[in-house]
Amino acid sequence: MKSVSIIAAAAVMLASSVSAASNDPRECEVCMKVMQDVRDAIPKADQTNKPAIEAALGAQCAKDTLSARERKICYYIDPIKRDVAHPFSLGMPVDRLCKRINKSNSEICGVKFPVKTENLEKKDLTKLRVKQLKSILVDRGVECKGCVEKEEFIAMVQNTEHLAGSDEF
Ligand SMILES: *[C@@H]1O[C@H](CO)[C@@H](O)[C@H](O)[C@H]1NC(C)=O
């Protein structure tokens, strides 16, 4: 019973998390996580200190525990640390901060965490729209060539689960 409701909740979350449209709540999500981790790592007294912020960004990005997507964000922000440190030092919330940084490198907000579907049953995937299934595949870097029927997209999502947590970059 419990697992059924968890799966249902996951399906709802998945459906909302991959909702297409311009207002994708997942926009900038990886950038936001990296920035929040950096903010959490800086002592209160140094939150407005740009050199300290740049140093903390460097330290965060040097961690070997980062996920592939976080490393990707680090790769993008490394050359623009100064552009990051300035709005950061103003205490800007991470969502606005990332939108600002996205102006320096427009790839930044497009980096999202991969959507895992391994715990979803086929009937849950069936509830998603084709657009959402396509979005999952785009996240995984695959294309369902020649696919027309929803069934085909669902099969492709199921067959590419191994790419969801991919370390590829
Ligand atoms: C990031 O920049 C690109 C290119 O300018 C833009 O298309 C995209 O909407 C921006 N994303 C956000 C969340 O601001």
Side-chain angles (χ1 to χ4, degrees):
M1 193 60 202
K2 199 169 175 202
S3 72
V4 169
S5 61
I6 289 172
I7 288 169
V12 171
M13 269 173 53
L14 178 64
S16 58
S17 73
V18 294
S19 74
S22 53
N23 223 354
D24 186 345
R26 295 170 62 232
E27 283 290 313
C28 319
E29 67 176 1
V30 182
C31 172
M32 284 161 58
K33 169 161 195 307
V34 172
M35 293 303 151
Q36 191 58 53
D37 288 346
V38 171
R39 188 157 274 164
D40 292 346
I42 302 176
K44 243 197 167 86
D46 280 339
Q47 291 282 342
T48 57
N49 177 336
K50 291 185 215 174
I53 294 165
E54 286 190 41
L57 280 167
Q60 177 66 25
C61 286
K63 285 187 179 167
D64 56 12
T65 50
L66 296 183
S67 67
R69 306 301 158 110
E70 288 168 89
R71 283 204 304 276
K72 192 166 183 173
I73 287 295
C74 281
Y75 173 80
Y76 290 143
I77 63 177
D78 189 59
I80 56 167
K81 278 205 205 100
R82 288 204 174 174
D83 299 351
V84 179
H86 176 65
F88 195 110
S89 71
L90 302 176
M92 206 178 260
V94 292
D95 55 339
R96 277 182 55 210
L97 178 60
C98 286
K99 280 186 187 139
R100 167 76 74 91
I101 304 168
N102 183 60
K103 293 197 168 96
S104 301
N105 183 332
S106 61
E107 313 273 346
I108 286 173
C109 281
V111 182
K112 297 166 195 170
F113 287 115
V115 177
K116 300 216 175 192
T117 53
E118 64 196 339
N119 296 321
L120 293 182
E121 288 175 30
K122 184 149 176 231
K123 66 176 163 54
D124 297 312
L125 290 174
T126 307
K127 287 183 201 146
L128 297 180
R129 282 189 252 142
V130 169
K131 202 169 184 177
Q132 296 171 322
L133 295 166
K134 276 186 189 165
S135 158
I136 292 173
L137 294 173
V138 168
D139 274 355
R140 294 178 184 177
V142 293
E143 194 190 340
C144 204
K145 282 215 180 91
C147 294
V148 181
E149 301 295 326
K150 187 172 184 179
E151 280 292 306
E152 296 173 301
F153 288 100
I154 291 173
M156 187 84 174
V157 165
Q158 290 183 310
N159 293 336
T160 55
E161 175 60 39
H162 61 288
L163 296 174
S166 161
D167 248 10
E168 264 163 70
F169 178 121

